[in-house]
Amino acid sequence: MESKILLVNDYYSEGGAEGVCRKIEEIVKRRGGTISFYYGSKKYRLPDSAKEYIYSKKYYSEFKKKILEFEPDIIHLHNYYHLLSPSILKAIKDCRRSGSFNGRVVMTAHDYHLLCPDSGLYYNSDGKIVPQKSLTSWQDILTKQYDTRGWAYSTLKKVQWVYNYSILKLQDQIDTFLAPSNFLKKKYAEKFPDKQIHLVRNPYEINVINTPSKSIPDEEETLKIVFLGRVSPEKGIKEFIRSLAESKVDNYRFDIIGDGPDIEKTQELIQELHLTERIFVLGRIPYEDVLQRLTEYDALVLPSLWFENAPLVLVEAVIANIRILTSNWGGMKEIAELCGGSYLMNPLDSGSVERSMNDIYSDIYVEKKSLNRDIERITKEFSTELFIQKMTSLYSNNSA
């Protein structure tokens, strides 16, 4: 590999997208390529102003200078719209026009930003999160609230989206999309039928934790379930709790591990529904303790209301050797079915939640079924080796 790769992301170190960037850096360096990383901030921060969020002249100038100095063969975009803004695409466009950049632009789509003003592909209706099933229309732009924080934030997202993609059409600068799930790949193919779109799953090392078989006493056992992640409205935790309260299921303990903007409202709901003896908000725990902690539970719950792309927390359930209970849509359904040992539900439907909870309980404590997963297949699907193979092919041979 002799290509010069320019990685682009809002932040240097923060979350999943940044982890993928680290892996790409490693691959390129190991194979003799040259790589540089352009980012707006080492850690998460907000743009300096609403104007900078919509279109940053500062990052336009900086990124254009970076292209001219580094002379990349490939520009690989990740998340850029939080801080850098889509103005970096204008920098690419202008460099192409001047002949100073003649390479390819690849983008790993970590969410649905180019498909919808809200990157989660959902909108807010009467305080409820509603997944958007169709491509964004002008009627959607005019009528829908694309942010749970209110119309002001929604309008800001709309202005950024319309100005950069409907007026300037900066998305045309992207030649190839990489999608971590087939679900997202199909969504992007619907929007961009003439673009190259490849499935490239985010790599994850899978080493299943061997735990001793649980001894099941004669008396009734409590089903232990856990949510792990950011406690925010789109995760559907409150809706799942309401469905639990409306169901006839009463032999469970539900722990919520994580932090986020919905913590206080979640705690208030638990108290309001008199579930303080069954549902516990535990807060964050050190990441190095996460996987071992998961082994203490029977199932991991991910009741997200939006079309999650490729939630790796479900793969962590595989490593912890526990079952999966998640929403019956989006990348969650895809990854859950790929991982096996999964139960799909509608977190808004108490009957659906009740049936899934009963099925898990029955499989573990009545039927005493073992958790059989095709670990070899799962490991291969998320292997670093496969990721390296696809990225090397993409960079070297223009295909993945």
Side-chain angles (χ1 to χ4, degrees), residues 321-336:
N321 204 25
I322 63 175
R323 287 165 166 79
I324 293 168
L325 174 59
T326 192
S327 303
N328 189 26
W329 48 68
M332 291 171 291
K333 179 181 180 182
E334 176 183 335
I335 301 300

Side-chain angles (χ1 to χ4, degrees), residues 53 117-118 146-147 153-161:
Y53 170 76
D118 187 280
Y146 281 111
D147 198 289
Y153 286 96
S154 174
T155 300
L156 195 58
K157 287 182 176 180
K158 291 178 183 180
V159 172
Q160 185 202 59
W161 204 76

Side-chain angles (χ1 to χ4, degrees), residues 64-80:
K64 187 175 181 181
K65 182 180 179 182
K66 179 70 175 181
I67 294 173
L68 295 174
E69 291 177 347
F70 184 64
E71 298 181 337
D73 299 304
I74 298 171
I75 297 176
H76 191 155
L77 304 173
H78 291 267
N79 291 336
Y80 60 82

Side-chain angles (χ1 to χ4, degrees), residues 6-39:
L6 178 56
L7 282 180
V8 182
N9 196 58
D10 281 322
Y11 311 109
Y12 184 79
S13 59
E14 189 65 29
E18 292 71 33
V20 175
C21 288
R22 298 276 78 74
K23 185 65 68 176
I24 290 173
E25 275 191 306
E26 178 186 325
I27 293 169
V28 174
K29 290 178 179 177
R30 190 190 306 172
R31 278 160 172 69
T34 305
I35 192 162
S36 185
F37 193 168
Y38 179 80
Y39 56 90

Side-chain angles (χ1 to χ4, degrees), residues 53 117-119 122-125 129 144-158:
Y53 170 76
D118 187 280
S119 60
Y122 62 80
Y123 59 92
N124 188 60
S125 177
I129 288 174
K144 289 179 178 177
Q145 181 183 320
Y146 281 111
D147 198 289
T148 58
R149 295 169 292 182
W151 283 100
Y153 286 96
S154 174
T155 300
L156 195 58
K157 287 182 176 180
K158 291 178 183 180

Side-chain angles (χ1 to χ4, degrees), residues 188-258:
Y188 269 75
E190 184 179 357
K191 177 74 173 181
F192 303 105
D194 298 327
K195 298 282 188 181
Q196 293 185 39
I197 307 174
H198 304 287
L199 172 68
V200 181
R201 296 203 188 276
N202 295 330
Y204 203 106
E205 296 300 327
I206 299 176
N207 296 302
V208 178
I209 299 174
N210 293 318
T211 56
S213 299
K214 297 178 181 178
S215 58
I216 304 174
D218 294 333
E219 64 269 16
E220 186 176 51
E221 179 65 45
T222 298
L223 186 65
K224 295 175 285 295
I225 59 176
V226 61
F227 168 86
L228 174 66
R230 188 168 187 264
V231 183
S232 51
E234 71 276 7
K235 292 295 185 178
I237 301 169
K238 298 195 301 293
E239 288 75 10
F240 178 69
I241 290 173
R242 289 194 186 96
S243 291
L244 277 176
E246 293 171 5
S247 74
K248 297 178 182 178
V249 179
D250 58 7
N251 57 334
Y252 68 89
R253 173 184 169 123
F254 179 29
D255 287 351
I256 300 169
I257 298 177

Side-chain angles (χ1 to χ4, degrees), residues 323-356:
R323 287 165 166 79
I324 293 168
L325 174 59
T326 192
S327 303
N328 189 26
W329 48 68
M332 291 171 291
K333 179 181 180 182
E334 176 183 335
I335 301 300
E337 291 179 338
L338 176 64
C339 289
S342 60
Y343 304 75
L344 301 175
M345 62 166 178
N346 179 350
L348 301 169
D349 182 347
S350 60
S352 175
V353 170
E354 181 176 325
R355 286 190 294 273
S356 295

